[in-house]
Amino acid sequence: MEAPQYAFMLCYALISELFINKKTSSVRVFILLLTIYTIVSTTGIIVMLLSLGAKLYIYKPKNRFLKYLKGVLGPLLVIFLFLIVFGIYKEKTNFGNSAAIRSNNNKVAWMNFLKSPLIGMGFKSDALGISGGNTSTLTQVLQEGGLLFFV
């Protein structure tokens, strides 16, 4: 399985464990956090951090000291979390010019679709070198099979 797909399923499990289950298991949360971190999927790490931040934000401590600590450290944690997520995003967009390559591939795919919008350029035309720019399933379906295949 591809890392982002696996990270998506793990993030879904983490969000379910943190927000949906009535009794959260610390062991399961730890295992999910460790697994998401070791996959090294940028989106997975960002979703993991945002989920933890949201859980800490809605946490209502019963102890007066913990309430005070949350009030003092809460804003600092939000800023720290934002800086980490922004840093990861910035690193990802600058690494190998990935964002520009995907944007260019997306433009090529849409131009190929507009060349033959009804029936497309043919199934697996990208493998034959006729078309290209498949950065998503939507553009692949549209350029290979047109509107008929899309429907």
Side-chain angles (χ1 to χ4, degrees):
M1 183 179 282
E2 194 175 313
Q5 293 171 331
Y6 187 50
F8 171 78
M9 295 308 294
L10 290 171
C11 288
Y12 179 78
L14 177 66
I15 290 169
S16 296
E17 188 65 34
L18 290 175
F19 301 106
I20 296 174
N21 291 352
K22 294 188 189 294
K23 185 167 171 81
T24 302
S25 167
S26 299
V27 173
R28 277 188 281 211
V29 170
F30 178 75
I31 290 170
L32 288 167
L33 293 175
L34 185 66
T35 309
I36 292 169
Y37 179 75
T38 58
I39 290 173
V40 193
S41 167
T42 305
T43 307
I45 291 173
I46 289 173
V47 170
M48 175 185 76
L49 291 172
L50 292 175
S51 299
L52 285 174
K55 182 65 176 182
L56 289 173
Y57 179 76
I58 65 172
Y59 174 70
K60 294 184 174 126
K62 296 175 180 130
N63 186 335
R64 185 182 297 180
F65 176 72
L66 290 177
K67 285 182 184 179
Y68 174 76
L69 195 63
K70 181 183 174 190
V72 171
L73 294 179
L76 294 174
L77 285 173
V78 169
I79 292 169
F80 181 69
L81 181 67
F82 174 75
L83 291 174
I84 289 174
V85 169
F86 183 72
I88 291 171
Y89 175 75
K90 186 176 175 184
E91 180 183 331
K92 182 68 174 181
T93 55
N94 289 336
F95 181 70
N97 214 7
S98 177
I101 291 169
R102 288 179 184 238
S103 175
N104 186 42
N105 283 347
N106 198 23
K107 288 177 190 174
V108 169
W110 283 104
M111 288 190 308
N112 287 338
F113 164 67
L114 293 174
K115 288 179 186 174
S116 181
L118 189 59
I119 60 170
M121 302 184 86
F123 186 64
K124 295 292 182 187
S125 58
D126 61 332
L128 298 172
I130 298 169
S131 65
N134 293 323
T135 56
S136 72
T137 306
L138 175 67
T139 56
Q140 183 173 3
V141 167
L142 286 172
Q143 76 176 346
E144 287 185 2
L147 292 173
L148 292 176
F149 191 51
F150 178 73
V151 172

